[in-house]
Amino acid sequence: MKQTAFYQYHKELGAKIVPFAGYEMPIEYSGINNEHLTVRNGVGVFDVSHMGEFWVKGPNAIDLVQKVTSNDAKALSIGQAQYSCFPNGKGGIVDDLLVYKYAEEKYLLVVNASNIEKDWAWVNEQNTMGAELENASDAISQLAIQGPKATAVLQKLTEINLSEIEYYTFVTGAIAGAEDVIISNTGYTGSGGFELYMYNKDAAKVWKAIFEAGIEEEILPIGLAARDTLRLEKGFCLYGNDIEDTTSPIEAGLGWITKFNDQNSFIDKDYLLKQKEEGVTKRLRGFVMIDRGIPRKDYEIVNDSDEVIGRVTSGTMSPMLKQGIGMGYINKGYTKFETEVYIKVRNRKLKAKVVKIPFV
């Protein structure tokens, strides 16, 4: 098992450590609810150094990025990022990712930890145009500082005016004594904040500086469990749950990152355009529990007659709503908002209703 550059701090802070994507990662510190509410109301720090980072460089870089990703990377200016996915050539998704335009002929692809090897093989396989590729995953540490007080904490550590970094844009500069840090106004919580990409050698001093700067704001370290409940409340997809090799971006409600303009000719473009125009037989939808209960991945979704009409892909008890929430693929005919459905929880039919996401 690998360890991130922050592993010793997780141990010192008493984190519950679990194996995740080949790494020993902190699942929780002070409890999921406490960590969740800290991010929603204040500021928390996630170690997300297990994520993968690929550089795509050279005059053919944009051609490769346009081929393998569904969004339109040609629309990016230097300093902008976008959410996208890798279509798999069979109507499904290899992974979802962030695309950063770092320079005119230099892009950074940030991929999911559990898919690094798969994604790296996929991008290399599609590189018929000779773009220069570098897998920098093991050289980069990443921290996500999230929550409404994140800007106030980080501003103490840099001369860069963080309030000028708009959502889904980034700058590269000095923070907490570390040079060449990518400071990105992105995150997986929906509560605002930044993601910092730094060299491993700078990890320790950046971690210490952030926690010292955040004492007044009662900053806390946050584990992967609260990361999951936070993203679910905002309806963000998790690869391996809500999207995978057998689900299309159209079915997943990701048509907004699937751009069918003339300058875009990505893998599966024609197939996905046909899906968009003709419709799909199932859609990813959010639902809230009316009856008390917690939906879990792979629970059946049924109708009034007990016929299976879908399955749960993600579910939890929302710390903000104090109510069971989830997402799942539901068959056509039951996807309208406010439609009542049932979740099979240990052979009991618990009533739920289809709602628009985000939940909070």
Side-chain angles (χ1 to χ4, degrees), residues 228-242:
D228 192 49
T229 56
L230 287 157
R231 69 90 194 168
L232 182 50
E233 281 187 345
K234 292 296 180 180
F236 296 152
C237 290
L238 174 65
Y239 193 88
N241 284 44
D242 314 300

PDB file of all heavy atoms in Angstrom, residues 228-242:
ATOM      1  N   ASP A 228     -17.586  11.895   0.807  1.00  0.00           N
ATOM      2  CA  ASP A 228     -18.653  11.216   0.075  1.00  0.00           C
ATOM      3  C   ASP A 228     -20.028  11.790   0.419  1.00  0.00           C
ATOM      4  O   ASP A 228     -20.852  12.006  -0.474  1.00  0.00           O
ATOM      5  CB  ASP A 228     -18.606   9.713   0.370  1.00  0.00           C
ATOM      6  CG  ASP A 228     -19.494   8.924  -0.574  1.00  0.00           C
ATOM      7  OD1 ASP A 228     -19.406   9.140  -1.797  1.00  0.00           O
ATOM      8  OD2 ASP A 228     -20.292   8.098  -0.090  1.00  0.00           O
ATOM      9  N   THR A 229     -20.305  12.047   1.690  1.00  0.00           N
ATOM     10  CA  THR A 229     -21.612  12.599   2.047  1.00  0.00           C
ATOM     11  C   THR A 229     -21.770  14.033   1.529  1.00  0.00           C
ATOM     12  O   THR A 229     -22.861  14.431   1.113  1.00  0.00           O
ATOM     13  CB  THR A 229     -21.845  12.564   3.576  1.00  0.00           C
ATOM     14  OG1 THR A 229     -20.783  13.253   4.246  1.00  0.00           O
ATOM     15  CG2 THR A 229     -21.912  11.131   4.086  1.00  0.00           C
ATOM     16  N   LEU A 230     -20.677  14.792   1.528  1.00  0.00           N
ATOM     17  CA  LEU A 230     -20.726  16.166   1.008  1.00  0.00           C
ATOM     18  C   LEU A 230     -21.039  16.186  -0.484  1.00  0.00           C
ATOM     19  O   LEU A 230     -21.899  16.938  -0.940  1.00  0.00           O
ATOM     20  CB  LEU A 230     -19.389  16.879   1.282  1.00  0.00           C
ATOM     21  CG  LEU A 230     -19.135  17.283   2.738  1.00  0.00           C
ATOM     22  CD1 LEU A 230     -17.642  17.436   3.011  1.00  0.00           C
ATOM     23  CD2 LEU A 230     -19.880  18.577   3.079  1.00  0.00           C
ATOM     24  N   ARG A 231     -20.337  15.329  -1.237  1.00  0.00           N
ATOM     25  CA  ARG A 231     -20.560  15.343  -2.699  1.00  0.00           C
ATOM     26  C   ARG A 231     -21.961  14.839  -3.034  1.00  0.00           C
ATOM     27  O   ARG A 231     -22.595  15.305  -3.984  1.00  0.00           O
ATOM     28  CB  ARG A 231     -19.466  14.551  -3.418  1.00  0.00           C
ATOM     29  CG  ARG A 231     -19.453  13.046  -3.225  1.00  0.00           C
ATOM     30  CD  ARG A 231     -20.272  12.279  -4.246  1.00  0.00           C
ATOM     31  NE  ARG A 231     -20.482  10.894  -3.826  1.00  0.00           N
ATOM     32  CZ  ARG A 231     -21.347  10.083  -4.411  1.00  0.00           C
ATOM     33  NH1 ARG A 231     -22.086  10.487  -5.416  1.00  0.00           N
ATOM     34  NH2 ARG A 231     -21.501   8.855  -3.974  1.00  0.00           N
ATOM     35  N   LEU A 232     -22.468  13.880  -2.236  1.00  0.00           N
ATOM     36  CA  LEU A 232     -23.797  13.339  -2.530  1.00  0.00           C
ATOM     37  C   LEU A 232     -24.884  14.370  -2.279  1.00  0.00           C
ATOM     38  O   LEU A 232     -25.840  14.477  -3.064  1.00  0.00           O
ATOM     39  CB  LEU A 232     -24.030  12.059  -1.718  1.00  0.00           C
ATOM     40  CG  LEU A 232     -25.356  11.333  -1.950  1.00  0.00           C
ATOM     41  CD1 LEU A 232     -25.643  11.110  -3.431  1.00  0.00           C
ATOM     42  CD2 LEU A 232     -25.362   9.992  -1.214  1.00  0.00           C
ATOM     43  N   GLU A 233     -24.764  15.162  -1.209  1.00  0.00           N
ATOM     44  CA  GLU A 233     -25.752  16.217  -0.969  1.00  0.00           C
ATOM     45  C   GLU A 233     -25.833  17.196  -2.134  1.00  0.00           C
ATOM     46  O   GLU A 233     -26.869  17.801  -2.376  1.00  0.00           O
ATOM     47  CB  GLU A 233     -25.408  16.993   0.313  1.00  0.00           C
ATOM     48  CG  GLU A 233     -25.804  16.290   1.587  1.00  0.00           C
ATOM     49  CD  GLU A 233     -25.614  17.144   2.825  1.00  0.00           C
ATOM     50  OE1 GLU A 233     -24.906  18.183   2.752  1.00  0.00           O
ATOM     51  OE2 GLU A 233     -26.167  16.781   3.869  1.00  0.00           O
ATOM     52  N   LYS A 234     -24.732  17.360  -2.858  1.00  0.00           N
ATOM     53  CA  LYS A 234     -24.714  18.271  -4.010  1.00  0.00           C
ATOM     54  C   LYS A 234     -25.001  17.558  -5.330  1.00  0.00           C
ATOM     55  O   LYS A 234     -24.988  18.180  -6.397  1.00  0.00           O
ATOM     56  CB  LYS A 234     -23.359  18.988  -4.090  1.00  0.00           C
ATOM     57  CG  LYS A 234     -23.132  19.974  -2.953  1.00  0.00           C
ATOM     58  CD  LYS A 234     -24.150  21.120  -2.997  1.00  0.00           C
ATOM     59  CE  LYS A 234     -23.940  22.101  -1.864  1.00  0.00           C
ATOM     60  NZ  LYS A 234     -24.915  23.217  -1.905  1.00  0.00           N
ATOM     61  N   GLY A 235     -25.227  16.247  -5.266  1.00  0.00           N
ATOM     62  CA  GLY A 235     -25.564  15.500  -6.475  1.00  0.00           C
ATOM     63  C   GLY A 235     -24.400  15.300  -7.419  1.00  0.00           C
ATOM     64  O   GLY A 235     -24.604  15.097  -8.623  1.00  0.00           O
ATOM     65  N   PHE A 236     -23.167  15.342  -6.908  1.00  0.00           N
ATOM     66  CA  PHE A 236     -21.985  15.100  -7.749  1.00  0.00           C
ATOM     67  C   PHE A 236     -21.793  13.592  -7.933  1.00  0.00           C
ATOM     68  O   PHE A 236     -21.871  12.826  -6.965  1.00  0.00           O
ATOM     69  CB  PHE A 236     -20.722  15.694  -7.116  1.00  0.00           C
ATOM     70  CG  PHE A 236     -20.729  17.194  -6.977  1.00  0.00           C
ATOM     71  CD1 PHE A 236     -20.012  17.806  -5.962  1.00  0.00           C
ATOM     72  CD2 PHE A 236     -21.451  18.001  -7.844  1.00  0.00           C
ATOM     73  CE1 PHE A 236     -20.010  19.196  -5.811  1.00  0.00           C
ATOM     74  CE2 PHE A 236     -21.456  19.385  -7.712  1.00  0.00           C
ATOM     75  CZ  PHE A 236     -20.728  19.981  -6.691  1.00  0.00           C
ATOM     76  N   CYS A 237     -21.510  13.183  -9.158  1.00  0.00           N
ATOM     77  CA  CYS A 237     -21.328  11.766  -9.466  1.00  0.00           C
ATOM     78  C   CYS A 237     -20.029  11.219  -8.884  1.00  0.00           C
ATOM     79  O   CYS A 237     -19.015  11.922  -8.845  1.00  0.00           O
ATOM     80  CB  CYS A 237     -21.313  11.541 -10.977  1.00  0.00           C
ATOM     81  SG  CYS A 237     -22.917  11.781 -11.761  1.00  0.00           S
ATOM     82  N   LEU A 238     -20.082   9.951  -8.469  1.00  0.00           N
ATOM     83  CA  LEU A 238     -18.892   9.232  -8.019  1.00  0.00           C
ATOM     84  C   LEU A 238     -18.644   8.086  -8.979  1.00  0.00           C
ATOM     85  O   LEU A 238     -19.530   7.247  -9.192  1.00  0.00           O
ATOM     86  CB  LEU A 238     -19.085   8.694  -6.595  1.00  0.00           C
ATOM     87  CG  LEU A 238     -17.964   7.791  -6.057  1.00  0.00           C
ATOM     88  CD1 LEU A 238     -16.656   8.557  -5.914  1.00  0.00           C
ATOM     89  CD2 LEU A 238     -18.371   7.183  -4.711  1.00  0.00           C
ATOM     90  N   TYR A 239     -17.432   8.035  -9.559  1.00  0.00           N
ATOM     91  CA  TYR A 239     -17.117   6.956 -10.493  1.00  0.00           C
ATOM     92  C   TYR A 239     -17.091   5.624  -9.741  1.00  0.00           C
ATOM     93  O   TYR A 239     -16.543   5.522  -8.647  1.00  0.00           O
ATOM     94  CB  TYR A 239     -15.779   7.175 -11.215  1.00  0.00           C
ATOM     95  CG  TYR A 239     -15.662   6.215 -12.387  1.00  0.00           C
ATOM     96  CD1 TYR A 239     -16.156   6.566 -13.638  1.00  0.00           C
ATOM     97  CD2 TYR A 239     -15.148   4.935 -12.212  1.00  0.00           C
ATOM     98  CE1 TYR A 239     -16.126   5.674 -14.696  1.00  0.00           C
ATOM     99  CE2 TYR A 239     -15.122   4.030 -13.266  1.00  0.00           C
ATOM    100  CZ  TYR A 239     -15.607   4.414 -14.512  1.00  0.00           C
ATOM    101  OH  TYR A 239     -15.596   3.513 -15.548  1.00  0.00           O
ATOM    102  N   GLY A 240     -17.676   4.605 -10.364  1.00  0.00           N
ATOM    103  CA  GLY A 240     -17.782   3.300  -9.731  1.00  0.00           C
ATOM    104  C   GLY A 240     -19.126   3.116  -9.045  1.00  0.00           C
ATOM    105  O   GLY A 240     -19.531   1.998  -8.760  1.00  0.00           O
ATOM    106  N   ASN A 241     -19.813   4.219  -8.787  1.00  0.00           N
ATOM    107  CA  ASN A 241     -21.172   4.186  -8.243  1.00  0.00           C
ATOM    108  C   ASN A 241     -22.174   4.710  -9.274  1.00  0.00           C
ATOM    109  O   ASN A 241     -22.942   3.950  -9.842  1.00  0.00           O
ATOM    110  CB  ASN A 241     -21.275   5.032  -6.969  1.00  0.00           C
ATOM    111  CG  ASN A 241     -20.672   4.377  -5.754  1.00  0.00           C
ATOM    112  OD1 ASN A 241     -19.592   3.816  -5.824  1.00  0.00           O
ATOM    113  ND2 ASN A 241     -21.362   4.451  -4.625  1.00  0.00           N
ATOM    114  N   ASP A 242     -22.132   6.028  -9.493  1.00  0.00           N
ATOM    115  CA  ASP A 242     -23.144   6.702 -10.315  1.00  0.00           C
ATOM    116  C   ASP A 242     -22.802   6.711 -11.797  1.00  0.00           C
ATOM    117  O   ASP A 242     -23.681   6.890 -12.636  1.00  0.00           O
ATOM    118  CB  ASP A 242     -23.328   8.139  -9.814  1.00  0.00           C
ATOM    119  CG  ASP A 242     -23.438   8.191  -8.302  1.00  0.00           C
ATOM    120  OD1 ASP A 242     -24.367   7.563  -7.770  1.00  0.00           O
ATOM    121  OD2 ASP A 242     -22.577   8.823  -7.657  1.00  0.00           O
TER     122      ASP A 242
END
